[in-house]
Amino acid sequence: MQLGRVLGQVVATVRSPGFENVSLLLVQDATAESDPEPETFVAVDLVGAGNGDVVLMTTGSAARVAAGDRTPTDRAVVAIADSVIRHGTVTYRTA
Amino acid sequence: MQLGRVLGQVVATVRSPGFENVSLLLVQDATAESDPEPETFVAVDLVGAGNGDVVLMTTGSAARVAAGDRTPTDRAVVAIADSVIRHGTVTYRTA
Amino acid sequence: MQLGRVLGQVVATVRSPGFENVSLLLVQDATAESDPEPETFVAVDLVGAGNGDVVLMTTGSAARVAAGDRTPTDRAVVAIADSVIRHGTVTYRTA
Amino acid sequence: MQLGRVLGQVVATVRSPGFENVSLLLVQDATAESDPEPETFVAVDLVGAGNGDVVLMTTGSAARVAAGDRTPTDRAVVAIADSVIRHGTVTYRTA
Amino acid sequence: MQLGRVLGQVVATVRSPGFENVSLLLVQDATAESDPEPETFVAVDLVGAGNGDVVLMTTGSAARVAAGDRTPTDRAVVAIADSVIRHGTVTYRTA
């Protein structure tokens, strides 16, 4: 899984079956934030994450399973990080 | 998932079972458009997307599920984006 | 999926079950041909592709499904491209 | 699979079903340690690994299977490496 | 799939269920050998490959299927290459 940062939302009227009622978050890898142009992804939100939150993203078939097999997504937000501990030191703590 | 831009089509007469009646779109990552030579993919269209549309692409086994388990594809277009909101600001809106 | 170019073959006597009678093609990404050292893959051929053909490759579990669940491959050639149309212009046409 | 180095932990109160009682490890690729900014991942721990351990990580649907199909993760720690042998020479041995 | 070169072995006493009796090979992409620091992977050996062999590796859920669904690995060695033919010329032949 990856730590992601929530950047925003995607609005879409035309959607394939299974995507009708899901919230589509724009996210990027939270551990690559020094990258001048980090890759951006779209994830289905399963935990009610908001802009700026650091979240845990699962990918591949696990995302579909996490979404209860209702939405054929390849990326889902499955947790909100309170803190990240690296070599025994807290390097991120939610505000 | 990724935001993609529809670039064109692939025409193929010889196809493996399951690919007989699908529309094959040429797409690229819509969030990497400053890249001088962005990677290009082929996706099965499930929503009737047209050239220039910004679309949502799902990959891996989710693409096969989204295609109703009829087409063994690893990439499918599952939504057409109306707008993309980044840090509360609309950064893309369909024409 | 990706457009690939068929480069050659892999010959192997010792094979794991499910790989006994498959044709193993050496392929590379056909849309990255300006890359001086493009990554090379091996795909199971399902359509009778030949050297130099531009083909459509599916990856991941879709490749296994495309191969009739008989061969545990992660890449399969599922179509031969006749032409590729980009922004309304034919950019590739088979000879 | 990849050899990973355990860097730390992720603390999260809000979690999606299946993630309630799992230990979330912050890990990086142990064979890319000369990289100044190696990519960081989060893995579910299945073997009781500790900070600094070199571990074996499985990814994709295999991680979910390794976790007994209870946790929809895409990465799991499935072994602790005692030693790594390269060209007949031990290049890593646990302390 | 990828052509890999067998570099060595990983020794591990603490293993998750399904990994008890498998041989863990250290491998790298055989077609990227001019790369000064090629990425290194660990694969389950299904064919009795030895150091220096050029092998065929399958990844993702196909690796698990190739391993008879007993080992939740994401990479398996499924064939030993005798020769590789590129544009009609043998570019690799086993010793």
Side-chain angles (χ1 to χ4, degrees):
Chain A
M1 297 176 287
Q2 275 180 301
L3 288 171
R5 173 86 66 179
V6 179
L7 300 178
Q9 291 75 35
V10 174
V11 180
T13 307
V14 177
R15 297 176 182 217
S16 189
F19 287 93
E20 294 89 353
N21 296 305
V22 299
S23 167
L24 299 168
L25 297 179
L26 196 69
V27 290
Q28 68 179 35
D29 183 345
T31 64
E33 297 197 318
S34 62
D35 185 340
E37 218 168 330
E39 219 179 339
T40 305
F41 301 101
V42 180
V44 166
D45 181 20
L46 301 177
V47 293
N51 272 6
D53 280 356
V54 170
V55 296
L56 189 65
M57 304 184 292
T58 199
T59 65
S61 62
R64 210 171 70 234
V65 172
D69 267 319
R70 282 181 299 274
T71 307
T73 181
D74 62 12
R75 188 170 291 254
V77 171
V78 294
I80 301 176
D82 299 320
S83 55
V84 176
I85 302 165
R86 202 182 268 246
H87 306 305
T89 303
V90 174
T91 58
Y92 166 79
R93 194 186 300 274
T94 190
Chain B
M1 296 176 288
Q2 276 180 301
L3 289 171
R5 174 86 65 178
V6 179
L7 301 178
Q9 290 76 33
V10 174
V11 180
T13 308
V14 178
R15 297 177 181 215
S16 189
F19 286 93
E20 293 88 353
N21 297 305
V22 299
S23 167
L24 300 168
L25 297 178
L26 196 69
V27 290
Q28 68 179 36
D29 184 346
T31 65
E33 297 197 319
S34 61
D35 184 342
E37 217 168 331
E39 218 178 341
T40 306
F41 301 101
V42 180
V44 165
D45 182 20
L46 301 178
V47 293
N51 271 7
D53 281 356
V54 170
V55 296
L56 189 65
M57 306 184 290
T58 199
T59 64
S61 61
R64 209 170 71 233
V65 172
D69 268 318
R70 282 181 299 274
T71 308
T73 181
D74 61 12
R75 189 171 289 256
V77 171
V78 294
I80 301 176
D82 300 321
S83 56
V84 177
I85 303 164
R86 202 182 268 246
H87 307 304
T89 304
V90 174
T91 57
Y92 166 80
R93 194 187 300 274
T94 189
Chain C
M1 296 176 287
Q2 275 179 300
L3 289 172
R5 174 86 65 176
V6 179
L7 301 179
Q9 292 75 33
V10 174
V11 180
T13 309
V14 177
R15 298 176 181 216
S16 188
F19 287 94
E20 293 88 354
N21 297 307
V22 298
S23 166
L24 300 168
L25 297 178
L26 196 69
V27 289
Q28 69 179 34
D29 184 345
T31 64
E33 296 198 317
S34 63
D35 185 342
E37 217 168 331
E39 218 178 340
T40 307
F41 300 101
V42 180
V44 166
D45 181 20
L46 302 177
V47 292
N51 271 6
D53 280 356
V54 170
V55 295
L56 188 65
M57 305 184 290
T58 198
T59 65
S61 61
R64 209 171 70 234
V65 172
D69 268 317
R70 281 182 300 274
T71 307
T73 181
D74 62 12
R75 189 171 290 257
V77 171
V78 293
I80 300 175
D82 299 321
S83 56
V84 177
I85 302 164
R86 202 181 268 245
H87 307 303
T89 304
V90 174
T91 57
Y92 166 80
R93 193 186 302 273
T94 190
Chain D
M1 298 176 286
Q2 275 180 302
L3 289 171
R5 174 86 65 177
V6 180
L7 300 178
Q9 291 75 34
V10 174
V11 180
T13 308
V14 177
R15 297 176 181 215
S16 188
F19 287 92
E20 295 88 354
N21 297 305
V22 298
S23 168
L24 299 168
L25 297 179
L26 196 69
V27 289
Q28 69 179 32
D29 183 345
T31 64
E33 296 197 318
S34 62
D35 185 340
E37 219 168 330
E39 219 178 341
T40 306
F41 301 100
V42 179
V44 166
D45 181 21
L46 301 177
V47 292
N51 272 6
D53 281 357
V54 170
V55 295
L56 189 66
M57 304 184 292
T58 198
T59 66
S61 61
R64 210 171 70 234
V65 172
D69 267 318
R70 283 181 300 272
T71 307
T73 182
D74 63 11
R75 187 171 290 255
V77 170
V78 295
I80 301 177
D82 299 320
S83 55
V84 176
I85 302 165
R86 203 181 266 245
H87 307 304
T89 304
V90 174
T91 58
Y92 166 79
R93 192 187 301 273
T94 190
Chain E
M1 297 177 285
Q2 275 179 301
L3 289 171
R5 174 85 65 177
V6 180
L7 301 179
Q9 291 76 32
V10 174
V11 180
T13 309
V14 177
R15 297 177 180 216
S16 188
F19 286 93
E20 294 89 354
N21 297 306
V22 298
S23 167
L24 299 168
L25 297 178
L26 196 69
V27 289
Q28 69 178 34
D29 184 345
T31 63
E33 296 198 318
S34 63
D35 184 341
E37 219 169 329
E39 219 179 341
T40 306
F41 300 101
V42 179
V44 165
D45 181 21
L46 301 177
V47 292
N51 272 5
D53 280 357
V54 170
V55 295
L56 189 65
M57 304 183 292
T58 199
T59 66
S61 62
R64 210 172 69 235
V65 173
D69 268 318
R70 282 180 301 270
T71 306
T73 182
D74 62 12
R75 189 170 289 257
V77 171
V78 294
I80 301 176
D82 299 322
S83 55
V84 176
I85 302 164
R86 201 182 267 246
H87 307 304
T89 305
V90 175
T91 58
Y92 166 79
R93 192 187 301 272
T94 191

